[in-house]
Amino acid sequence: MPLRPALPLAILVAAFAPVTAPAASAQCVGGAGRAAGSSAFDTARLAREIPALMDSAGVPGLSIALIEGGRVSWVRGFGVRDTKSRLAVGERTVFEAASLSKPVFAYAVLKLVDEGKLDLDRPLADYWRYPDVSHDPRSRAITARMVLSHTTGFPNWRPRDGALTTLFEPGARFRYSGEGFVYLQKVVEHLTGEPMSAFVERTVFRPLGMSRSSFSWEARFDDDLAAGHAEDGTPRPKQRPSEGITAASLQTTARDFARFLLALSDGEGLRPATAKDMLDSQSSVADGVAWGLGVGLQKTERGVDFWQWGHNDGYRGYMLVGAETGTGFVVFMNGDSGMLLLEPLLALLSPGHQPAARWLDYERLDARRVRLALERTFLEEGSAVGIARYRALRAAGPTEAFVEDMLNNLGYALLRQGKKLEAIEVFKLNVEAYPEAYNTYDSLGEAYMENGQKDLAIANYEKSVALNPDNANGIEMLKKLREK
């Protein structure tokens, strides 16, 4: 299955050369080593280097806000709201926050907990029966704590045209899930007797002065909207949700969201024990990465940071705050290629080890250049030359450019252009390079399926599911293939 979207050949950079990340600044989120009274960030450097980074990644617009010393210390917009009007991004420009919606809803839920209206460890089914999971006995054990720490056992989203079912015993382990947040939203709406959007407006936005934020679309945002863009710079149609979705529909500005981060950092509006619980590890994710209640946590040499990323069609976002220092940032981007900027932005804003970014494993700028060079070769000179060039480039390095999703993205780029045989060869290269990765077989299975090679498709999906029994996509595809 696709891991990350691929950039089209149209924006291939002419020169194939390694990318050098910006030199690490002495200032960082943790604030270590800075002089007393000085800023944790080199804003002059940010203003100078961000536009060049955006150009290199094809990101039309970006908005960033920094927090330190208990205040929003710097807000700046870069680029354009959309590539047709060319209107500039400003402080009031509204972006889709995508999954940065989740910490906001979690904070509101914890206010309900403090009021005694919701018990984190009582099954949600005791409050309200969710029809979508009535067929699944295991779902009756799901609690609000499990939702906020992503241990419900649900997939992120149910398979298309498929039922929502727990993939393992709730509470057993981490699995990121937007579906869990939707379930909790419905319980909260039942308990409060109001739509989630109104509930969060009353409990979060109004108290924190977030006047440019809403979980549902408001016409007043139309005059200053950051339109989402595909990776070729084409504006995407704007979704205007009439009803909020806790997992992904927040519309906001960088300044407004920074106000929320200040409240979260200070524990404002929550009992001290509840605020502490939110930023304590509830579930283990990966080396150096855990999840609290509604926020990710990473442990580095600087201490503990809380963080979250956002990924909607046309929009990307990232937040990171030092739990002990209260220093951090939020950045919103209106382009599908936005996460190409994650690594260089972190080098500027929070240099050092980044377990969360490593776990996310988004495509790097140097991996993009390798992928696009290979795409051109496969398209213009065929599979044999493409395979030879891949092996030569891999031998030359850099090693970081040859991660699993580089070939995965390349294979899907070829598949979308009708180059099924070439895509199969690329996915086979990925299986060769990553024989223990379940998704390489899943992708190869899809390419065989698209090419009408049913037996080979089934064999590869079976291998994928054997490596990862929780692979909902592989399970669904095997069911469909066997029914044919």
Side-chain angles (χ1 to χ4, degrees):
M1 73 188 81
L3 290 174
R4 305 288 179 226
L7 287 165
L9 188 61
I11 59 170
L12 174 64
V13 288
F16 177 71
V19 172
T20 303
S25 169
Q27 292 81 20
C28 63
V29 164
R34 69 178 186 270
S38 66
S39 172
F41 303 99
D42 186 344
T43 55
R45 185 179 179 192
L46 289 171
R48 187 171 62 249
E49 296 195 14
I50 285 177
L53 290 172
M54 292 170 62
D55 285 345
S56 69
V59 176
L62 178 152
S63 186
I64 185 171
L66 311 178
I67 63 169
E68 54 184 323
R71 65 188 182 92
V72 181
S73 62
W74 193 69
V75 182
R76 181 76 180 266
F78 296 88
V80 297
R81 294 182 234 162
D82 70 80
T83 53
K84 288 187 176 179
S85 73
R86 308 300 299 176
L87 293 171
V89 172
E91 286 190 24
R92 291 175 54 81
T93 301
V94 173
F95 287 75
E96 285 189 19
S99 282
L100 271 70
S101 305
K102 293 181 176 74
V104 176
F105 177 65
Y107 173 79
V109 166
L110 291 178
K111 287 193 165 191
L112 276 184
V113 172
D114 280 349
E115 293 170 9
K117 296 178 180 177
L118 179 69
D119 186 327
L120 281 173
D121 299 307
R122 182 178 175 183
L124 295 180
D126 289 354
Y127 297 101
W128 182 77
R129 290 297 180 94
Y130 190 14
D132 288 19
V133 293
S134 59
H135 62 284
D136 182 357
R138 291 194 300 196
S139 69
R140 296 172 195 155
I142 292 172
T143 66
R145 188 184 299 276
M146 292 175 190
V147 169
L148 298 180
S149 60
H150 294 283
T151 58
T152 60
F154 286 148
N156 189 14
W157 299 109
R158 70 192 73 186
R160 190 173 299 172
D161 301 324
L164 175 60
T165 303
T166 53
L167 302 175
F168 52 82
E169 195 68 33
R173 62 185 185 273
F174 177 89
R175 183 185 177 96
Y176 191 83
S177 176
E179 291 282 4
F181 273 72
V182 173
Y183 183 7
L184 183 55
Q185 172 182 343
K186 293 180 183 298
V187 171
V188 167
E189 289 177 334
H190 173 74
L191 291 174
T192 62
E194 59 187 329
M196 182 275 296
S197 296
F199 165 65
V200 178
E201 169 70 25
R202 175 174 59 82
T203 59
V204 181
F205 298 150
R206 243 179 275 154
L208 298 183
M210 297 171 66
S211 61
R212 300 279 292 168
S213 299
S214 176
F215 269 91
S216 55
W217 183 256
E218 298 185 9
R220 63 193 175 97
F221 298 153
D222 277 322
D223 291 338
D224 208 343
L225 161 70
H229 293 79
E231 289 183 324
D232 63 357
T234 304
R236 288 182 176 274
K238 178 68 178 83
Q239 303 298 314
R240 291 173 167 80
S242 58
E243 296 181 4
I245 301 174
T246 59
S249 73
L250 175 62
Q251 321 286 317
T252 191
T253 67
R255 182 180 288 280
D256 263 19
F257 202 89
R259 290 190 178 106
F260 166 70
L261 291 180
L262 285 173
L264 201 58
S265 179
D266 294 340
E268 180 182 339
L270 299 176
R271 293 179 179 177
T274 307
K276 180 179 182 298
D277 212 18
M278 189 174 188
L279 302 184
D280 277 348
S281 174
Q282 308 287 326
S283 55
S284 178
V285 178
D287 186 23
V289 183
W291 226 264
L293 294 176
V295 291
L297 306 171
Q298 71 169 12
K299 187 174 182 180
T300 74
E301 67 279 2
R302 301 179 302 274
V304 174
D305 303 323
F306 61 88
W307 69 281
Q308 174 72 49
W309 89 109
H311 184 132
N312 277 5
D313 286 347
Y315 299 91
R316 303 291 186 268
Y318 201 80
M319 56 167 257
L320 181 72
V321 180
E324 297 177 2
T325 65
T327 300
F329 68 90
V330 60
V331 59
F332 295 121
M333 296 161 284
N334 64 341
D336 280 341
S337 58
M339 281 305 188
L340 289 167
L341 299 184
L342 181 58
E343 185 181 17
L345 282 175
L346 286 170
L348 289 168
L349 295 161
S350 180
H353 186 43
Q354 296 289 339
R358 183 173 183 178
W359 174 70
L360 288 175
D361 197 27
Y362 274 94
E363 186 177 35
R364 295 164 48 105
L365 279 167
D366 49 11
R368 182 189 76 159
R369 288 185 173 178
V370 170
R371 175 174 56 78
L372 292 174
L374 288 172
E375 182 177 342
R376 182 176 62 185
T377 303
F378 272 90
L379 287 172
E380 296 177 357
E381 301 181 64
S383 293
V385 178
I387 291 169
R389 189 171 191 199
Y390 160 75
R391 297 195 188 285
L393 291 174
R394 180 156 190 155
T399 304
E400 295 80 5
F402 292 87
V403 292
E404 178 190 339
D405 65 344
M406 187 276 288
L407 282 176
N408 197 69
N409 288 336
L410 173 60
Y412 277 103
L414 294 170
L415 204 58
R416 284 193 296 270
Q417 296 174 76
K419 299 293 185 179
K420 297 176 185 178
L421 295 178
E422 290 82 355
I424 287 170
E425 293 304 317
V426 168
F427 290 135
K428 285 166 66 176
L429 286 173
N430 218 15
V431 166
E432 173 190 308
Y434 297 93
E436 300 304 316
Y438 82 94
N439 195 66
T440 61
Y441 297 94
D442 188 292
S443 299
L444 181 55
E446 182 174 346
Y448 278 130
M449 181 177 67
E450 290 289 325
N451 201 43
Q453 295 171 273
K454 179 180 175 180
D455 290 345
L456 286 171
I458 289 174
N460 279 278
Y461 277 124
E462 285 177 340
K463 178 66 174 177
S464 176
V465 173
L467 287 168
N468 178 13
D470 293 338
N471 178 10
N473 182 74
I475 293 168
E476 187 71 17
M477 291 301 103
L478 281 171
K479 180 181 177 183
K480 290 181 178 179
L481 284 164
R482 287 165 177 162
E483 288 174 350
K484 290 182 179 180

